Amino acid sequence: MILLVSLIPISFGILTYFFKKKTSLLVTISYILTFLFLTIFQEGSFVLGNYSALKGIEFSFDPTSKFLLILFNLFSLITFFRIYKNYDHVFFSLWLLLTGSINGFFMSRDFFNIYVHLELASILTFLLLSYDKNEIRIWAALKYMMMSLVSLNFYLIGVGILYSNSGTLNLNYNLSNGINTFAFSFILTGLLTKGGLFFLSGWLPDAHTEAVKGTSPILSGIIVKLPLFIIYLLIPSLPNELRIFLYYFAVITAICSSLFTLLQNDIKKFMAYSTMTQMSYGLMIILINPPFFPYFIVYHMFTKGFLFMIAEDIYEKNGTKNLKELDGSQISLDTFFLLIFLLMNLGGLFPFSLYIIKDNLSLPYFLEINIFIFGMYFYKLLNTFKVKKKNFEYKYWYMFIFAILNVVSITYYFTTIASNLSILKILTEYLLFAAGILSFLFLRKKVSLPSIEIYSFENSFIYQISFLLVALLMEM
């Protein structure tokens, strides 16, 4: 019965294609039924058909899956109501199919079935990215699709090696018996290429930047984290040598992607490189404190998704994404407040969400350089806009609800869970943040920051093969 959580959106997606005059009604009913079944279904697992778990396809509806499914569908619903007047029935047919495939992905515990859902989500994302058939968007979507093809082939090679050793594709069985490093190397290369990590995910900046309205929040909010969720499931069996390698890879890519965020002059590409930084933090969370990862998915989904929504509206209003051309453009006071809160939520400063996550990780102290860089691009973005001081638009009321709930959860954490606060650490981080802002103010007139492009097709494949070779060397 839990498969209805996946089958309902897929079924209504097909109905939406044929009954185009009832699009909004059908999509709304699909979400209502999905929430209803997510609420009433009991937690548990089952295998399709009358097969054993070793031969059949296992699905699991555990507390983590339920938590993620409810909040993902809520975020998807919010995004739908933002764009339901912008597109036709075909778009929303694909939209529901994508929602159903993601719902099925979170419950699947079979290596090949995970691949099927991930591949279906990739194809549907490709179709949605360039739905208006703009040439630049088509190229960005093709780049995404081709790199997805390469990454999923790496994943399939690893799964094939795994199957030849264990004789089953059941994820839980393979975890309990251990996964060899050779198979893991291919699986990880494929997953991290799709998972938004700097160097490997050459598709991400263009796909996030050029996606049609409504697609970027879903792409950054959930799609890039699907491969990391697989790593989260596999982490108990990850060999120690690969853990160490991935840890240092995550630290390096977090700093590199922060630097590239600073260099961007396109507001959506700015957000895209910021997503790469967050995915590096996500990988560190998986490696160091895995139970925090589901909360990271939700916190980042809403925070970055909402930032992309604001960026889309700024682009729609002004007709440009270029920060230099946007210089002096006006935004409402409530939008400005939201930009500050959402950016700070991603910055890692006390008392915001990323700080709480970092507080539960043993991260190298030099990684705090990211707060210095964050101060620079925080000021760069906010200084672009002029604020209408007495103007409130109220159109982002749902973001304010999120902000209030976020503040409540942060307050709860620091009053009941957090044990010791390091005042010295907090002051040091804010000094680094202030130093970043002052450095940007000092340098912006004297130094012209170039926009650097490192992601040609050739370079992307070189990065991926290099990562794979290094991962394979870890086995030796």
Side-chain angles (χ1 to χ4, degrees), residues 57-112:
I57 300 173
E58 183 179 2
F59 289 87
S60 176
F61 188 59
D62 55 29
T64 299
S65 299
K66 185 175 183 177
F67 169 72
L68 292 173
L69 285 167
I70 289 173
L71 291 171
F72 159 65
N73 280 274
L74 175 62
F75 179 73
S76 179
L77 179 62
I78 291 170
T79 310
F80 163 72
F81 279 119
R82 270 178 47 83
I83 61 171
Y84 75 96
K85 293 181 179 179
N86 294 62
Y87 303 107
D88 61 11
H89 66 293
V90 178
F91 181 93
F92 291 112
S93 175
L94 297 171
W95 181 271
L96 286 177
L97 292 174
L98 176 61
T99 303
S101 67
I102 293 172
N103 288 351
F105 168 87
F106 278 121
M107 296 185 293
S108 181
R109 295 298 180 267
D110 176 274
F111 276 105
F112 189 76

Side-chain angles (χ1 to χ4, degrees), residues 250-388:
V251 170
I252 292 168
T253 53
I255 295 172
C256 290
S257 51
S258 283
L259 287 169
F260 270 75
T261 302
L262 175 63
L263 297 176
Q264 302 313 308
N265 289 315
D266 182 304
I267 189 170
K268 288 185 72 177
K269 190 166 282 190
F270 178 100
M271 303 293 182
Y273 277 100
S274 171
T275 295
M276 285 184 153
T277 303
Q278 305 306 315
M279 293 307 100
S280 293
Y281 279 113
L283 182 57
M284 288 182 235
I285 293 164
I286 294 170
L287 294 169
I288 300 169
N289 199 343
F292 269 84
F293 185 66
Y295 299 100
F296 169 81
I297 291 177
V298 171
Y299 129 78
H300 185 267
M301 175 173 64
F302 282 97
T303 304
K304 183 50 71 67
F306 287 159
L307 277 170
F308 265 110
M309 290 177 189
I310 294 173
E312 288 176 340
D313 289 345
I314 290 171
Y315 172 47
E316 192 172 55
K317 178 183 177 182
N318 296 280
T320 180
K321 304 190 297 289
N322 190 289
L323 291 176
K324 292 181 179 178
E325 295 173 7
L326 286 169
D327 190 28
S329 59
Q330 293 188 328
I331 59 174
S332 64
L333 187 59
D334 54 337
T335 302
F336 186 72
F337 283 146
L338 281 169
L339 277 175
I340 291 174
F341 177 82
L342 295 171
L343 285 170
M344 292 295 281
N345 218 26
L346 294 172
L349 288 162
F350 175 86
F352 296 91
S353 296
L354 186 60
Y355 176 88
I356 295 174
I357 292 172
K358 285 167 55 181
D359 195 43
N360 288 273
L361 305 177
S362 300
L363 298 179
Y365 197 72
F366 71 83
L367 193 57
E368 299 298 342
I369 188 65
N370 266 4
I371 292 179
F372 174 80
I373 301 169
F374 169 70
M376 296 181 77
Y377 66 70
F378 174 85
Y379 183 83
K380 176 182 178 179
L381 180 63
L382 291 181
N383 189 56
T384 301
F385 304 104
K386 288 185 177 179
V387 183
K388 301 177 186 176

Side-chain angles (χ1 to χ4, degrees), residues 56-197:
I57 300 173
E58 183 179 2
F59 289 87
S60 176
F61 188 59
D62 55 29
T64 299
S65 299
K66 185 175 183 177
F67 169 72
L68 292 173
L69 285 167
I70 289 173
L71 291 171
F72 159 65
N73 280 274
L74 175 62
F75 179 73
S76 179
L77 179 62
I78 291 170
T79 310
F80 163 72
F81 279 119
R82 270 178 47 83
I83 61 171
Y84 75 96
K85 293 181 179 179
N86 294 62
Y87 303 107
D88 61 11
H89 66 293
V90 178
F91 181 93
F92 291 112
S93 175
L94 297 171
W95 181 271
L96 286 177
L97 292 174
L98 176 61
T99 303
S101 67
I102 293 172
N103 288 351
F105 168 87
F106 278 121
M107 296 185 293
S108 181
R109 295 298 180 267
D110 176 274
F111 276 105
F112 189 76
N113 194 252
I114 286 172
Y115 161 79
V116 170
H117 284 97
L118 204 55
E119 178 74 351
L120 180 58
S122 299
I123 294 169
L124 293 166
T125 303
F126 162 74
L127 295 172
L128 291 171
L129 274 176
S130 57
Y131 190 74
D132 64 353
K133 297 180 177 60
N134 175 282
E135 288 183 8
I136 297 175
R137 291 193 179 105
I138 290 173
W139 171 242
L142 281 171
K143 193 174 181 181
Y144 166 73
M145 197 63 228
M146 283 187 261
M147 291 199 178
S148 290
L149 179 65
V150 172
S151 64
L152 288 174
N153 277 333
F154 277 129
Y155 173 82
L156 277 182
I157 291 170
V159 169
I161 297 168
L162 202 64
Y163 182 73
S164 68
N165 289 334
S166 67
T168 180
L169 294 170
N170 184 270
L171 188 144
N172 293 322
Y173 177 85
N174 279 289
L175 282 179
S176 62
N177 287 275
I179 301 174
N180 67 59
T181 312
F182 190 61
F184 240 131
S185 300
F186 283 94
I187 291 172
L188 286 173
T189 303
L191 294 177
L192 294 177
T193 298
K194 276 195 68 68
L197 273 291

Side-chain angles (χ1 to χ4, degrees), residues 29-52:
I29 292 173
S30 172
Y31 279 112
I32 291 171
L33 290 175
T34 301
F35 283 120
L36 176 65
F37 287 124
L38 283 171
T39 305
I40 65 174
F41 282 156
Q42 291 185 340
E43 295 166 5
S45 61
F46 83 101
V47 180
L48 285 178
N50 294 317
Y51 298 100
S52 67

